[in-house]
């Protein structure tokens, strides 16, 4: 077998917020990728605006550095469970992996998932205990827990023989033994050269698996993947083999390899290289690009099933078409199906209604990122409340179940126990560090997590962190009764006035500010009782014989509750929708007319 000793392909995998992207920053900076006087932002790999706003990696990305004459291709992967499809998609390009584990939190749900994926692919692991500069670091315990995880997941005895490094990505240091003085990040690079095997070069003609797609307005579609056999040059002819086995022939325009944050145009790329090629127009992730003389397909990428679903529909509110650039069924459908080309965890289906589409994803965050991206692109649409995806196995209804891990303080145990017991959660483990901090582990149906994040943040006053990972499917445990109270629904269309809002605030909390345009059926607030209350938020103070309409104009109002997109999705009930436009996020009833809602309630009671 032939090896390319001038290349190493390594993936960086970890749970969310364990420091992957910060460590990549340190690797890039100390490899002299940037000029001495060049200003480089933190988390430079998180180039997407949403990634910077939310502080998480959403899309897998490629970069490369040169170290001691060897090119190290680095694949930065997301750590959030909702984007685990990104890990499944790109991990096959690597021969080894850096598994980062936080020195305080230790192995988390996503740590187990990403390590399991690496083991199944036969990657050579390197364990990096990161954030060793934390005062609360518990090295020995974290190492023991991680070793237990390796014992549980290893598929061969070789995978149990792994080196352990200690690092602080923020400070740009790493060491092979605790107690050493960390000077730079080179111990990690030296370990990669020593432990990660070089790419094996199999004999044969060109063969490449497409693991990512990009688009350029001048170059068109860009296919990204690792070359498994042969070589490729500009102007070569290739064929693309899709999921149905169909083949289409193309001529390659350009070939790029990665270095730092740039793509370098090259005359030739060979087996073992991670490349981006242009000229192949009709291509999807998982397709094989091969030599026309030997068009052999590689195994397609296997992605786990989605767990929740919601509907996307054309905006049907009275304000439809006012704020968005793309508002029609054709435009919405084209955008959703275009997303399938690079978002492998997503599923889109047509429904009986031509204006509504069923979209399935890995979690609320997975779908909310898609919604926010489309909103910023100028799309206007409406979405329903998420629901867990069930399936029937041997005549029995099954539902997805997840592991929920919460880090919080002792004072929050009571309220969280009460909230989660109402959501069919089962406590499986609890750990108290003796300093007032606790770690709670639950097994909970996916339907019990819908809408929980917002309530969790409120109950813990922000003093808590929750993480989840899908465990599998179990028999249906019954429906969960909604604990949300009723809402205030606008009964008239017009402009919200301070006088009308003040009247509404006597009954509950409001969601809008004065001078906001409203329509009948729009949700403008919430109150403590269970039933919904129609209210005229546009009501103005009339003048009388003894005072003008502007007297007592300084009405004192409580600040409105303004929902983020995720909070709006968590808040709504089954009979409500979220109207999403580039300028606003509105809550509304599915049936805007008060009389239609009463008629619907009456008909349901008769059916029952």
């Amino acid at each position: 077998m032939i090896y390319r000793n001038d290349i190493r392909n390594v993936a960086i995998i970890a749970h969310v917020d364990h420091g992957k992207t910060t460590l990549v920053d340190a690797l890039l900076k100390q490899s002299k990728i940037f000029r001495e006087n060049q200003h480089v932002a933190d988390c430079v790999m998180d180039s997407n605006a949403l990634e910077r706003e939310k502080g998480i990696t959403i899309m897998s990305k490629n970069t490369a550095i040169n170290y001691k004459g060897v090119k190290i291709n680095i694949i930065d992967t997301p750590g959030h469970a909702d984007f685990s499809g990104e890990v499944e998609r790109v991990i096959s390009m690597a021969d080894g992996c850096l598994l980062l584990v936080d020195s305080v939190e230790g192995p988390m749900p996503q740590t187990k998932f990403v390590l399991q994926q690496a083991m199944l692919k036969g990657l050579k692991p390197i364990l990096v205990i990161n954030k060793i500069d934390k005062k609360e670091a518990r090295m020995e315990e974290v190492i023991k827990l991680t070793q237990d995880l390796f014992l549980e997941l290893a598929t061969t005895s070789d995978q149990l023989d792994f080196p352990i490094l200690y690092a602080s990505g923020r400070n740009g240091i790493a060491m092979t033994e605790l107690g050493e003085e960390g000077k730079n990040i080179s111990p990690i690079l030296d370990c990669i050269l020593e432990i990660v095997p070089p790419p094996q070069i199999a004999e044969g003609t060109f063969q490449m698996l497409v693991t990512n797609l990009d688009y350029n307005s001048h170059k068109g579609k860009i296919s990204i993947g690792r070359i498994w056999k042969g070589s490729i040059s500009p102007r070569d002819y290739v064929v693309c083999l899709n999921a149905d086995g169909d083949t289409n022939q193309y001529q390659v325009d350009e070939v790029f390899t990665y270095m730092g944050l740039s793509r370098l145009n090259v005359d030739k790329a060979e087996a073992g290289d991670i490349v981006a090629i242009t000229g192949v127009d009709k291509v999807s992730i998982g397709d094989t690009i091969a030599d026309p003389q030997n068009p052999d397909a590689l195994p397609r990428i296997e992605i786990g099933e989605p767990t929740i679903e919601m509907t996307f529909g054309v905006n049907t509110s009275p304000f439809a078409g006012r704020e968005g650039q793309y508002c029609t069924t054709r435009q919405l459908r084209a955008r959703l199906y275009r997303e399938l080309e690079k978002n492998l965890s997503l599923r889109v289906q047509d429904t009986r209604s031509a204006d509504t589409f069923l979209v399935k994803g890995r979690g609320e965050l997975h779908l909310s990122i898609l919604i926010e991206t489309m909103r910023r692109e100028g799309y206007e649409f409406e979405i329903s409340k998420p629901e867990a995806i069930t399936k029937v196995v041997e005549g029995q209804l099954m539902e997805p179940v997840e592991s929920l891990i919460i880090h919080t303080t002792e004072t929050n145990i009571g309220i969280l126990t009460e909230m989660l017991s109402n959501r069919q959660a089962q406590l499986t483990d609890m750990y108290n560090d003796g300093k007032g901090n606790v770690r709670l582990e639950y097994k909970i149906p996916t339907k019990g997590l819908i809408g929980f994040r917002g309530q969790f943040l409120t109950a813990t006053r922000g003093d808590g962190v929750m993480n989840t990972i899908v465990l599998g499917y179990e028999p249906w445990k019954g429906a969960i009764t909604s604990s949300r109270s009723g809402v205030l629904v606008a009964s008239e269309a017009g402009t919200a006035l301070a006088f009308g809002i003040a009247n509404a605030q006597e009954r509950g909390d409001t969601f809008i500010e004065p001078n906001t345009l409203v329509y009948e059926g729009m949700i403008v607030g919430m109150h403590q009782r269970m039933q919904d209350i129609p209210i005229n938020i546009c009501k103005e103070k009339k003048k009388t014989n003894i005072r003008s309409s502007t007297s007592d104009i300084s009405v004192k109002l409580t600040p409105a509750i303004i929902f983020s997109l995720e909070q709006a999705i968590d808040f709504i009930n089954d009979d409500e929708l979220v109207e999403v436009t580039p300028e606003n996020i509105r809550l509304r009833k599915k049936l805007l007319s008060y009389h239609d809602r009463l008629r619907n309630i009456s008909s349901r009671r008769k059916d029952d």
Side-chain angles (χ1 to χ4, degrees):
M1 186 68 70
I2 304 173
Y3 293 89
R4 280 194 64 181
N5 291 310
D6 61 332
I7 284 183
R8 299 291 189 276
N9 296 320
V10 60
I12 298 186
I13 58 176
H15 186 81
V16 65
D17 201 32
H18 280 201
K20 299 178 304 303
T21 306
T22 305
L23 184 66
V24 173
D25 283 357
L27 293 172
L28 291 172
K29 291 172 183 176
Q30 294 189 25
S31 301
K32 307 298 181 183
I33 292 296
F34 308 108
R35 301 188 310 273
E36 293 291 339
N37 63 343
Q38 184 175 353
H39 173 72
V40 182
D42 293 335
C43 297
V44 67
M45 292 293 287
D46 287 344
S47 54
N48 184 289
L50 279 174
E51 289 178 322
R52 290 197 169 277
E53 288 176 22
K54 296 185 177 294
I56 59 174
T57 301
I58 296 172
M59 301 291 293
S60 296
K61 303 176 188 68
N62 299 90
T63 185
I65 59 176
N66 276 321
Y67 182 71
K68 294 184 178 180
V70 177
K71 181 178 181 180
I72 302 176
N73 288 310
I74 300 171
I75 306 162
D76 185 22
T77 63
H80 199 287
D82 283 20
F83 307 107
S84 51
E86 292 289 306
V87 180
E88 296 170 291
R89 178 167 61 81
V90 301
I91 204 168
S92 61
M93 291 193 291
D95 299 300
C97 65
L98 294 179
L99 176 68
L100 268 66
V101 178
D102 189 286
S103 64
V104 178
E105 294 183 352
M108 297 290 282
Q110 184 71 355
T111 310
K112 180 176 181 179
F113 173 81
V114 295
L115 180 59
Q116 184 178 39
Q117 294 298 313
M119 295 294 194
L120 292 174
K121 298 294 183 182
L123 304 190
K124 189 69 176 177
I126 299 171
L127 175 61
V128 180
I129 307 298
N130 197 25
K131 303 186 180 182
I132 60 172
D133 52 322
K134 284 187 173 181
K135 293 181 181 179
E136 305 87 355
R138 48 190 185 110
M139 303 295 184
E140 293 182 2
E141 188 175 353
V142 167
I143 291 173
K144 182 179 182 303
L145 290 171
T146 310
Q147 288 174 334
D148 291 343
L149 188 61
F150 271 87
L151 280 170
E152 179 185 347
L153 299 177
T155 56
T156 64
S157 58
D158 293 341
Q159 292 174 333
L160 297 176
D161 182 20
F162 55 89
I164 302 176
L165 301 176
Y166 307 89
S168 171
R170 182 175 60 180
N171 297 323
I173 58 172
M175 57 201 75
T176 56
E177 299 289 342
L178 277 175
E180 291 182 357
E181 182 182 357
K183 298 180 180 179
N184 52 39
I185 211 74
S186 59
I188 291 180
L189 296 173
D190 290 330
C191 191
I192 290 174
L193 297 188
E194 179 184 353
I195 300 298
V196 177
Q200 293 183 1
I201 309 303
E203 295 183 0
T205 54
F206 175 71
Q207 193 179 42
M208 164 185 157
L209 182 66
V210 179
T211 56
N212 202 357
L213 291 176
D214 200 355
Y215 182 81
N216 183 283
S217 56
H218 299 290
K219 297 177 172 54
K221 268 191 180 179
I222 301 175
S223 306
I224 301 169
R226 173 176 167 174
I227 301 176
W228 292 96
K229 293 181 183 179
S231 61
I232 189 70
S233 299
R235 319 316 301 171
D236 283 353
Y237 285 95
V238 295
V239 292
C240 178
L241 293 86
N242 63 22
D244 299 324
D246 299 332
T247 60
N248 294 299
Q249 183 165 313
Y250 302 94
Q251 186 176 33
V252 175
D253 290 334
E254 294 176 292
V255 179
F256 301 90
T257 58
Y258 289 87
M259 181 53 63
L261 303 180
S262 305
R263 289 178 182 151
L264 304 180
N265 202 321
V266 295
D267 294 329
K268 186 178 183 180
E270 299 180 343
D273 282 324
I274 294 176
V275 299
I277 64 175
T278 63
V280 182
D281 295 332
K282 293 182 180 179
V283 60
S284 301
I285 293 175
D287 291 353
T288 299
I289 300 177
D291 184 272
Q293 304 302 320
N294 296 287
D296 295 328
L298 289 162
R300 296 190 69 84
I301 301 170
E302 295 183 3
I303 300 293
E305 297 179 0
T307 56
I308 70 167
E309 63 186 16
M310 63 196 310
T311 61
F312 283 51
V314 174
N315 189 8
T316 57
S317 85
F319 294 166
R322 294 187 184 184
E323 300 170 359
Q325 183 180 358
Y326 308 107
C327 312
T328 67
T329 302
R330 178 183 59 81
Q331 291 167 332
L332 179 62
R333 186 181 192 278
R335 177 62 181 84
L336 288 173
Y337 278 92
R338 189 165 68 247
E339 183 69 19
L340 297 178
E341 294 181 357
K342 54 184 179 181
N343 196 339
L344 293 193
S345 302
L346 200 72
R347 305 286 188 273
V348 178
Q349 296 176 4
D350 293 337
T351 64
R352 293 180 179 179
S353 171
D355 298 332
T356 305
F357 307 93
L358 186 65
V359 181
K360 303 179 181 181
R362 284 284 181 93
E364 287 180 272
L365 183 61
H366 183 207
L367 294 179
S368 68
I369 290 294
L370 170 62
I371 295 165
E372 182 64 27
T373 301
M374 292 174 60
R375 185 172 86 92
R376 297 186 182 195
E377 291 173 358
Y379 285 85
E380 181 179 310
F381 52 98
E382 58 190 25
I383 54 177
S384 68
K385 183 179 179 65
E387 297 179 357
I389 299 174
T390 59
K391 61 182 181 181
V392 177
V393 179
E394 297 180 354
Q396 187 171 21
L397 184 64
M398 309 288 281
E399 66 176 339
V401 176
E402 303 190 31
S403 171
L404 168 66
I405 295 184
I406 294 174
H407 289 82
T408 186
T409 57
E410 291 177 341
T411 55
N412 296 321
I413 292 178
I415 183 65
L416 290 176
T417 301
E418 181 181 354
M419 290 169 57
L420 289 167
S421 63
N422 295 329
R423 293 172 173 269
Q424 301 178 352
Q426 299 175 352
L427 181 66
T428 58
D429 193 16
M430 182 170 69
Y431 168 79
N432 191 317
D433 66 355
K435 300 177 183 178
N437 301 311
V438 294
R439 169 185 167 125
L440 307 170
E441 295 188 20
Y442 290 89
K443 185 166 74 169
I444 182 171
T446 297
K447 65 175 183 288
L449 288 170
I450 296 173
F452 175 69
R453 188 177 297 273
Q455 295 182 10
F456 169 77
L457 293 175
T458 302
T460 60
R461 297 175 178 85
D463 189 14
V465 178
M466 58 172 282
N467 293 283
T468 61
I469 191 75
V470 177
L471 296 176
Y473 279 78
E474 292 187 0
W476 173 259
K477 296 178 176 62
I480 296 176
T481 304
S482 174
S483 59
R484 200 202 74 181
S485 57
V487 292
L488 304 176
V489 185
S491 60
E492 303 287 340
T495 303
L497 300 176
F499 184 72
I501 293 177
N503 287 338
Q505 289 185 348
E506 293 178 1
R507 300 190 175 191
D509 301 317
T510 53
F511 299 159
I512 61 173
E513 300 283 1
N515 298 321
T516 301
L517 293 175
V518 300
Y519 52 81
E520 182 185 4
M522 182 172 160
I523 298 172
V524 296
M526 65 179 296
H527 63 103
Q528 296 303 316
R529 298 183 181 180
M530 296 306 296
Q531 73 273 17
D532 299 334
I533 299 177
I535 191 165
N536 184 6
I537 205 80
C538 307
K539 185 177 182 180
E540 62 179 335
K541 191 170 187 179
K542 301 296 183 182
K543 66 181 180 179
T544 66
N545 302 355
I546 57 175
R547 65 185 176 197
S548 69
S549 61
T550 56
S551 66
D552 302 328
I553 197 168
S554 56
V555 179
K556 292 184 179 180
L557 298 176
T558 303
I561 299 172
I562 306 299
F563 286 132
S564 67
L565 176 61
E566 289 85 356
Q567 290 170 331
I569 294 172
D570 286 347
F571 179 80
I572 60 174
N573 271 338
D574 295 334
D575 64 335
E576 297 163 358
L577 298 171
V578 179
E579 179 187 350
V580 180
T581 76
E583 298 179 15
N584 290 290
I585 295 172
R586 302 184 183 94
L587 307 180
R588 51 159 289 187
K589 289 291 183 179
K590 286 184 178 179
L591 299 175
L592 298 179
S593 169
Y594 176 63
H595 297 292
D596 289 343
R597 294 196 297 274
L598 287 179
R599 193 178 298 114
N600 184 58
I601 293 172
S602 177
S603 63
R604 281 188 299 174
R605 286 175 179 171
K606 290 180 180 179
D607 293 339
D608 293 339

